[in-house]
Amino acid sequence: TTPEQNENTAKLTKEFNIIKFNQFVEESQELGKKGEFEKAYELIKQAIKIFPSNQDAQWGVSSCLNHLKRYKESIDEYKKLIDIQDEEKPENPRYRFEMGQVMIFDGQTYEGLKEISKAMELTVEFDSFLARVGEIYEELNMPVEAEIAYKTYLEKFPFDYKIWKRHGDCLQKLGRNNDAEISYLTSKNIKN
């Protein structure tokens, strides 16, 4: 074969691989939307075989493993994504945020909250999750941390009457009854 034929063959192979990769990713996403995560996982693994360093496909693997409740494996995959750093592409805080949630599902609550906090320091994209962070702290009987999470959330989303009430509950547990009454009154006024 001539060098030109070799070049054409290589080009066709690359184009074929791109098409196959995209098919695997798209089909995996569609199956994921239908809740068929085992099938989605098998397809995304096929995509990874074609382009092992593709972050979107690696993210798909992490996500599928999470939905399959294979939390430890999912966390390992998220860690790989977070570790991929280069100067042109800074860390994607979504990977860290999602890993934190998976850690909470896996029972690693404190570690998960730390990871979520790190992600939230990098972007405001996840600020609405602060209400859930407050709830988690409440469940852990950590009213100081819960109150801080609720307060921060309410600074950004001041019309959530349910969180104003929860904020009041935390303040009451902390013995700050006057502040609690203000939160309860705010909750009542927003609700009505």
Side-chain angles (χ1 to χ4, degrees):
T1 60
T2 67
E4 187 177 286
Q5 288 173 322
N6 288 339
E7 187 177 316
N8 285 339
T9 301
K11 184 177 176 185
L12 286 173
T13 301
K14 183 178 179 183
E15 288 173 4
F16 175 78
N17 284 339
I18 290 170
I19 291 168
K20 276 314 267 182
F21 173 84
N22 288 332
Q23 282 178 326
F24 285 136
V25 170
E26 287 171 20
E27 289 175 31
S28 176
Q29 289 171 340
E30 289 304 312
L31 288 167
K33 289 176 188 173
K34 296 176 189 173
E36 297 180 36
F37 296 108
E38 196 65 56
K39 291 178 183 175
Y41 178 61
E42 292 306 317
L43 285 175
I44 204 68
K45 285 193 318 187
Q46 294 299 317
I48 288 280
K49 286 180 185 174
I50 297 171
F51 295 120
S53 62
N54 182 280
Q55 286 188 22
D56 290 334
Q58 290 173 333
W59 187 17
V61 168
S62 304
S63 183
C64 282
L65 289 167
N66 173 32
H67 288 290
L68 292 168
K69 297 182 175 25
R70 292 166 59 179
Y71 300 131
K72 293 200 184 326
E73 293 171 80
S74 177
I75 291 165
D76 289 343
E77 293 299 323
Y78 275 115
K79 285 179 180 175
K80 289 178 193 172
L81 279 169
I82 291 166
D83 287 343
I84 298 171
Q85 296 291 316
D86 65 40
E87 287 124 33
E88 278 114 56
K89 192 163 187 173
E91 178 181 332
N92 183 337
R94 178 160 293 283
Y95 302 152
R96 188 174 295 279
F97 180 77
E98 289 180 10
M99 182 179 74
Q101 290 179 309
V102 176
M103 292 172 123
I104 291 170
F105 295 146
D106 190 46
Q108 302 176 48
T109 307
Y110 296 104
E111 296 87 345
L113 286 169
K114 272 197 252 178
E115 294 301 329
I116 289 169
S117 292
K118 287 179 190 174
M120 292 177 102
E121 288 171 9
L122 299 171
T123 181
V124 297
E125 180 182 355
F126 311 118
D127 284 355
S128 63
F129 193 73
L130 282 165
R132 180 65 186 126
V133 170
E135 291 169 0
I136 293 167
Y137 279 129
E138 266 193 282
E139 291 166 13
L140 295 170
N141 199 26
M142 298 172 71
V144 171
E145 291 82 357
E147 189 274 331
I148 292 168
Y150 289 144
K151 181 180 174 188
T152 307
Y153 171 83
L154 290 167
E155 288 169 0
K156 297 167 188 286
F157 306 97
F159 299 106
D160 190 333
Y161 74 90
K162 291 178 184 176
I163 299 304
W164 276 109
K165 187 200 175 301
R166 292 192 83 129
H167 184 247
D169 294 343
C170 287
L171 289 166
Q172 199 167 47
K173 285 179 188 171
L174 295 169
R176 295 170 53 192
N177 295 333
N178 290 340
D179 292 334
E181 284 306 315
I182 293 169
S183 284
Y184 290 141
L185 183 60
T186 304
S187 174
K188 184 179 175 184
N189 287 337
I190 293 169
K191 187 176 180 183
N192 295 331

